[in-house]
Every structure is written in C-alpha cells, then in structure tokens.
Amino acid sequence: MTQIHLGHLFHIGGGPILGDAAAALVSVPDGALVVDDGGRIVFCGPRSALPDDDGTAAVHDHRPGFLLPGFVDTHIHFPQTYAGDSYGGGQLLEWLEQCIFPSEARFADPEFAAQAAVEFCDRRIAAGTTAAMVFGSAFPHAQDALFGETRRRGLRLVSGRGIQTVGPASASPLLTSEADAIRLTREEIDRWHAADTGNVDTALLHVAIVPRFSLSVTVETLKALGELYDSVRHRGVYVHSHLNENNRAGTGEVDSTKQLYQVNTYLDTYDGRFLPGSAVGGKSLLGRRTILAHSVHCQDVELARMAETGTSIAHCPVSQQFLGSGTMPWKSTVASGVNIAAGTDFGGGDEWLIPRVLSDAFKVHISEAGDDGVSMHPGEMLFLGTLAGARALDMEDRFGNFDVGKEADFVVIDASRVPALNAALTHGVRSDDPGRAAEQTLFALLMGIREPAISEVYVQGRRVGPG
C-alpha cells in the first residue's frame, strides 16, 4: 500500500560534496513524503502539490513533527555495547587494555552475545540509526547473533569480525592465528554477505574485512587480508579499521605504528606498503567501500591518497574528546576532497545518537585555534549524518536523502517529547528570511534531539520501531 507521510521535511538533495551541502539543503515546512508499496520514494515536496491518488493510500500525519533521512553511523563497536563510559585511567592504549579487551572477551559466551545483539539493535533503533558500519566481535557466534538479530529487525548493517593476531595479555581471548584470521573472515563473507536477498545491490546485510588496527595484526596478516580482499572486492565486500586516532608523543598509536612497521605514514600499512620505508609488500585495502575511523592526525599525503582511492573517513568527535585523541583539523581535511561522514564510536564514544556527534562536531571545530575555527552550517551537519554516510557505504544511490527513486529510510521527530527541544523550536528567535529561518530551525533540531524525540523509524518504508 502507498504511504503518505506528512511533516516538516529536511534533507540534502542531489549528490553534493560537503562544501556544497549548505546550498543543497531542502526544507519543506508543510511537506509530504510518498512511499510506494516497494518502499521507494515517489514524491517529496509540498503537501499542496501531492499528486492525485485513488484514495487508498495510508496517510500518516506527523505534523507538527519533522521527517529527516535515517541517520548513518559509519563507526560503532558491537562488542562494546555494554562498555560505554569505561574508565581506564589513560588514553586509547591504556583504555583498550584495561577496559575494552576484557569487555569484548565476555562475548565468548553465546548467551551473553545474543543478549548484546538484541540490546545493540534496540539502541540503534532508539537513536534512529537506520544504517551502520559496525566493528564486530572476534567470536563468530557473536557475529551470527548480530547479523541474525539485525535481519529480524529490518535494519541495514555492514559488519565484520574484529581481526587480531597479536596483542597484550588482556587481549588474548580475542586473538587467533594468522590462518584462522583469514579462514574465519572468509567464512563470514560466505555466510552473511547479502545473505538476506542474495543480491548485494538489494541486500540490507553486508560484510566487511575488519583488522582492528595495525598494531593488532602483523605484516603477514595485512598481506593475507589484502589478498583476500583482492579476491572478494568484486562482490562488494567492505573494509573497516582505525587510522591516526591517538598521537600522544612517543607512545601513542600513530608513533607506535610507524615505529613498528618502519613506514612513512600510518595509511601505508593499509595501502599494501608495510615494508620498511613504505615499500609495496601486498595488495591495497583502500577503495570506495573502505571506511577508516578517526583520521585525526593525518599527513597531507594520507588525505590525498584517501581522496584518490575513494576511501572515506568516519569522523568521531565524541570519542576523540573522551579519549583525549585530539581534534581532526576540519578545514584541511575537507579541502583534501576526502569524503567525511559521522561515527559515534560507541563505546569509545559515549553517545548512540548521531545528532550528538554532529553537535560535538560543531562545538569542536568552532573552537579550533585562530583561523582554523569554523562555524559549521546546519546543512553540512545534516549531510555528515545522512548522505555522506550513505556515500561512505557506497550506497548513495539507494538511500541517504529523499530524492525520488531512493529507498525510504527516515526518522520522525516529535519535539514535544523533549521539553527543552520543543521550547527551542517553539520560542526561539527566527529570521524574517525564510531560508535563514529554516537553517536556524534545523540547527536547533540537530543540537537538541534526544532519544525520546525519535518517535518512529523506517527502513525501506517499513516501520522498524521504536516499540
């Protein structure tokens, strides 16, 4: 049955780059979104311009609520479902050893992992996250639980088991041999990639190759993963990992990686250049379906290489503050042309909501020193949390905005459920200029959204929750 959803529509129309997102912002205060019985958008525009129908369409009147594209989280950790706000007495590497490796080891228990999969999907739906790149558990049964529960709930998922072949004693339950790392990864691809429809172009479920980060594997692991990816790249498999997250002088992740591998840049380890002096030693893991989280301390040559290959950055300002990892320099990263999308990094971040990530991004980047500070436009913020994420997942042709023909992934925002948000939207000062007034409303909305305000979540036109 055709569905008509009424409300104030906001989305980023077309296929702009980040720098053009402000001009591509679409606001339709008295809008209508029409979804056909196949879950695709057939109309997006003013309610007054609705095409005639035979009266059989189901009308959902969300007014005075808002309709936004579903949020896309390009970096979140499934085995850290219960690890938010963990205190490790230090930054990234201490936090991993003291808190995260022991927490992730608990997923060895199949019942615990199954419970976590339910909780993880509950939290995603409550936060309006319709699509996500999910860093997976080391344990195959936990990944089976995640994929199975995600399929049951009707959400979009890209995930892969977290690959570790070396690490400290606290990580030992998560480690495998080199051979098992490749075998288990290949088995997960064969079992779950496009398992729901059998067609990667229509599937909700996808698999990624996920080395935890370069310090958790060896040259041999990276070479074997590159060869594996070279053999499955044509099937639409993804790659996901961390890059240039923490650079505490001498002992941080970035310096430690460069010293261990004797390479010129951290990115070289993922680009098949992991022999001393960054000589080619294997196949590259970079490409249009590769997302590297954080990228806080990138060299210009790394940004240029990511832009050249179509590799995307998952920007995670919440966790970068939580772990003291620093601030990704906004202007220079944007100027490189690399695609940047939003990631919560839960539980390194302590927020499930993409709008909270966008809020922190605004605050962080306006606070950069001197001329580096920038006031992000609300359209850029919305782009980061929706269309840029779809682009990072190489599925921009399927979802990410309300363009006609795309699959209808969207969230309904009922501001009355959050009194502070409702007050800001109802009584906040607005410009006499309609365009600026729309920007001000969207900004207040993105800054003020909390979970209770997300009243309905849809994927492919089907309501998946909450409740």
Side-chain angles (χ1 to χ4, degrees), residues 127-190:
T129 300
T130 53
M133 171 65 85
V134 179
F135 196 106
S137 170
F139 303 105
H141 61 257
Q143 286 298 98
D144 289 346
L146 174 64
F147 277 106
E149 183 65 16
T150 302
R151 177 165 59 183
R152 187 180 76 81
R153 306 292 276 277
L155 296 166
R156 297 185 191 272
L157 173 72
V158 183
S159 185
R161 64 175 303 273
I163 300 166
Q164 294 180 255
T165 54
V166 293
S170 60
S172 59
L174 310 174
L175 306 184
T176 67
S177 67
E178 307 277 356
D180 282 348
I182 303 306
R183 176 182 62 81
L184 292 172
T185 301
R186 184 179 293 278
E187 288 176 358
E188 184 173 35
I189 294 169
D190 292 340

Side-chain angles (χ1 to χ4, degrees), residues 242-384:
H242 300 83
L243 176 72
N244 288 325
E245 180 176 359
N246 186 287
N247 196 31
R248 184 176 52 193
T251 60
E253 170 211 16
V254 177
D255 284 346
S256 296
T257 299
K258 291 166 67 177
Q259 291 166 10
L260 177 66
Y261 282 89
Q262 291 295 294
V263 291
N264 297 326
T265 74
Y266 193 148
L267 185 70
D268 286 347
T269 61
Y270 300 129
D271 201 12
R273 298 176 176 273
F274 40 67
L275 298 181
S278 296
V280 175
K283 304 287 187 178
S284 178
L285 293 170
L286 306 183
R288 288 182 58 182
R289 291 202 165 193
T290 298
I291 299 176
L292 298 176
H294 304 295
S295 302
V296 176
H297 305 285
C298 286
Q299 301 175 41
D300 289 346
V301 67
E302 293 175 290
L303 293 173
R305 178 60 175 157
M306 283 191 279
E308 176 189 20
T309 57
T311 300
S312 291
I313 291 173
H315 183 29
C316 309
V318 176
S319 79
Q320 286 150 24
Q321 293 180 90
F322 181 80
L323 293 171
S325 297
T327 299
M328 186 188 82
W330 183 252
K331 286 185 176 180
S332 61
T333 306
V334 172
S336 73
V338 66
N339 182 53
I340 308 166
T344 61
D345 193 27
F346 195 92
D350 57 353
E351 297 282 359
W352 291 87
L353 275 167
I354 285 295
R356 303 304 299 145
V357 175
L358 306 178
S359 172
D360 275 16
F362 178 86
K363 296 167 188 171
V364 163
H365 295 304
I366 201 171
S367 301
E368 289 190 58
D371 292 340
D372 290 332
V374 60
S375 177
M376 294 175 65
H377 188 279
E380 294 174 332
M381 295 166 66
L382 183 61
F383 176 82
L384 282 180

